[in-house]
Amino acid sequence: MSAFSSSLQTQRIDLEPRHSRLVVLGDPHGALKTVQRVLSLDRDDRTLATCVGDVVGYADGVASSSLAEYLHAERIPTVEGNHEDWVRDDGTLAIVQNRDAGRRLTSETLDWMRTLPAHIEFRRAGTEDLLALMVHSIRRPDWDWLGNTNAAAFIQRHGNPNLVLSGHSHRPKFIVVTPGYGTFIEPFDFEANDEIGMDIPEEGSVLVDAGSLGRAELEPSLKTPGVRSGPSRYGTYAVVDFEQRRVVLRRIVRLDAH
């Protein structure tokens, strides 16, 4: 096991009345510019930015460290992802896309990684109301994806929250768990839509996989329909509005990609 695994299993965050929204950054993998663009578009005084983990990895050590240090400086709550868990004892990333790039993280990034919890509970300040549970994915035994075969058991194990926020798969989706009706993945055509929304249920649960913002910078094979200037890449994230009891998956396109 990595020496940099989190020692804090669950972090509780009490949301003040002014915080009625969350911006949930999908696995960013060192995509600092894309993260900053998302926050410039979708962050305001009533919005708390959060991250579902996998801040480091795929991107090289410099890019991964730059993003980690930005999230730390901005005090953006983040859970530990598998790429954080996989960092080697000497601070070397396990996986980078460019094999010739440097893999070493800064000591500041390693210190920050040691503080990351496995779960974050978002509760309304002054109450015990659980608004949302954030995880990266199923941590044991081997970082399994959350899907329609295991979501119901996971949600039950964690007290049946109405809303679970996750990452890991890089594929944005809603997984709906309805008592008496089983579990299903809500299908949608994300290629043809900039955003897709779903209501947070009063009964049952919805698990939201925020996807990956790293895809906007790391996967050149992804193209955006209708853009004539050539191949473009996109990343995804989620926005939760507790007042409207609604969660939206959004796509952000990097038009200058090649």
Side-chain angles (χ1 to χ4, degrees), residues 198-212:
M198 174 172 283
D199 293 336
I200 301 171
E202 296 288 347
E203 295 184 4
S205 305
V206 59
L207 185 148
V208 183
D209 188 323
S212 174

Side-chain angles (χ1 to χ4, degrees), residues 26-31 53-65 67 81-84 86-87 92-105 136 143 145 167-171 211-220:
D27 299 19
H29 290 295
D54 273 9
V55 173
V56 305
Y58 291 139
D60 61 28
V62 172
S64 293
S65 295
L67 176 57
N82 55 291
H83 280 260
E84 284 79 51
W86 292 344
V87 170
T92 300
L93 292 166
I95 302 174
V96 296
Q97 190 173 55
N98 180 358
R99 294 183 179 180
D100 295 327
R103 296 188 175 202
R104 189 67 60 87
L105 298 172
H136 181 67
W143 290 104
W145 290 359
H168 191 50
S169 76
H170 295 185
R171 292 169 175 81
S212 174
L213 287 171
R215 300 183 79 162
E217 297 184 22
L218 295 173
E219 297 187 18

Side-chain angles (χ1 to χ4, degrees), residues 17-44:
R18 68 183 180 91
H19 283 144
S20 59
R21 296 174 80 245
L22 298 178
V23 166
V24 184
L25 304 172
D27 299 19
H29 290 295
L32 175 58
K33 290 182 179 179
T34 304
V35 166
Q36 290 174 327
R37 184 179 173 196
V38 167
L39 297 182
S40 71
L41 293 171
D42 236 329
R43 193 184 193 187
D44 55 28

Side-chain angles (χ1 to χ4, degrees), residues 118-188:
H119 313 95
I120 296 177
E121 295 178 348
F122 295 96
R123 297 180 184 268
R124 180 61 62 200
T127 76
E128 291 300 314
D129 295 340
L130 180 60
L131 299 174
L133 173 70
M134 176 180 285
V135 300
H136 181 67
S137 190
I138 298 178
R139 185 183 177 90
R140 297 287 183 261
D142 190 27
W143 290 104
D144 293 332
W145 290 359
L146 279 160
N148 62 345
T149 61
N150 56 22
F154 177 87
I155 286 170
Q156 183 178 24
R157 189 161 62 247
H158 289 277
N160 297 304
N162 292 130
L163 179 62
V164 177
L165 306 167
S166 73
H168 191 50
S169 76
H170 295 185
R171 292 169 175 81
K173 57 184 174 290
F174 299 114
I175 303 175
V176 181
V177 179
T178 306
Y181 294 93
T183 303
F184 67 93
I185 295 179
E186 181 71 13
F188 55 83

